[in-house]
């Protein structure tokens, strides 16, 4: 409650946020290392690619995919983001539709989702992927 997250990466949207405690439904898959994060990078309301990440006992697995589930490496990222091969979730098309809907009207928005038991679970939205430290070529999309 004493931290102002603005000072970590200078993300201006956090500067005036009043500290508070939020309680969300617990995702039990976190405990057994099976939780996979799907981070959709959306430009002008259209998902361009998805960053997939799985933390497994301190062994981070991560990869980028296009919407046809081909491994890709966006130019602003280094090759370490191309380290794993994930199975495309059965509800991937639904996840894409949700990312499109949530990112509608924004130049850039990252939409984080989970697929648990073939159900899409919302994670978070962010305007500053990687704390704003990695530049996206938004103007080309």
């Amino acid at each position: 409650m004493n931290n102002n997250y603005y000072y970590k990466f200078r993300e201006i949207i956090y500067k005036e946020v009043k500290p508070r405690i939020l309680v969300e439904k617990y995702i039990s898959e976190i405990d057994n290392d099976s939780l996979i994060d799907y981070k959709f990078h959306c430009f002008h309301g259209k998902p361009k690619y998805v960053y997939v990440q799985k933390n497994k006992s301190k062994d981070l697995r991560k990869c980028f995919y296009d919407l046809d589930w081909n491994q890709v490496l966006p130019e602003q990222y280094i090759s370490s983001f191309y380290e794993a091969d994930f199975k495309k979730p059965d509800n991937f098309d639904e996840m894409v539709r949700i990312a499109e809907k949530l990112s509608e009207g924004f130049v850039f928005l990252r939409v984080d989702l989970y697929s648990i038991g073939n159900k899409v679970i919302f994670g978070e939205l962010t305007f500053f992927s990687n704390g704003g430290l990695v530049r996206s070529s938004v103007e080309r999309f």
Side-chain angles (χ1 to χ4, degrees):
M1 296 292 289
N2 293 327
N3 293 333
N4 184 328
Y5 286 93
Y6 164 75
Y7 294 107
K8 185 171 184 177
F9 294 116
R10 300 292 186 204
E11 295 174 78
I12 195 70
I13 61 171
Y14 295 122
K15 190 170 186 180
E16 302 300 326
V17 172
K18 180 182 174 188
R20 65 191 76 160
I21 296 173
L22 299 174
V23 179
E24 299 176 331
K25 184 176 178 182
Y26 184 70
I27 300 174
S28 62
E29 285 76 6
I30 290 173
D31 291 336
N32 63 16
D33 293 327
S34 66
L35 191 65
I36 298 175
D37 229 338
Y38 299 91
K39 299 173 180 283
F40 289 84
H41 292 239
C42 305
F43 301 87
H44 301 286
K46 299 293 180 195
K48 178 70 175 173
Y49 48 84
V50 58
Y51 171 66
V52 183
Q53 173 180 305
K54 181 176 183 179
N55 287 323
K56 185 171 183 175
S57 300
K58 301 180 186 175
D59 183 22
L60 177 66
R61 301 283 179 197
K62 56 193 174 187
C63 193
F64 278 99
Y65 293 91
D66 64 17
L67 298 186
D68 293 321
W69 209 252
N70 299 306
Q71 290 182 331
V72 296
L73 185 62
E75 66 183 48
Q76 65 268 25
Y77 290 90
I78 57 175
S79 61
S80 69
F81 282 86
Y82 198 60
E83 295 179 336
D85 191 17
F86 292 92
K87 180 184 174 289
K88 180 179 176 181
D90 292 335
N91 56 355
F92 184 72
D93 291 338
E94 180 184 3
M95 295 172 87
V96 170
R97 284 192 300 275
I98 290 169
E100 283 178 342
K101 185 78 169 166
L102 292 174
S103 65
E104 191 175 288
F106 296 103
V107 174
F108 173 80
L109 187 67
R110 195 188 77 209
V111 178
D112 296 3
L113 303 171
Y114 303 104
S115 177
I116 300 174
N118 207 29
K119 182 178 177 183
V120 178
I121 306 292
F122 174 76
E124 73 169 308
L125 303 175
T126 184
F127 296 102
F128 306 103
S129 192
N130 296 303
L133 297 177
V134 176
R135 183 182 172 146
S136 294
S137 300
V138 175
E139 58 274 2
R140 291 200 283 146
F141 297 107

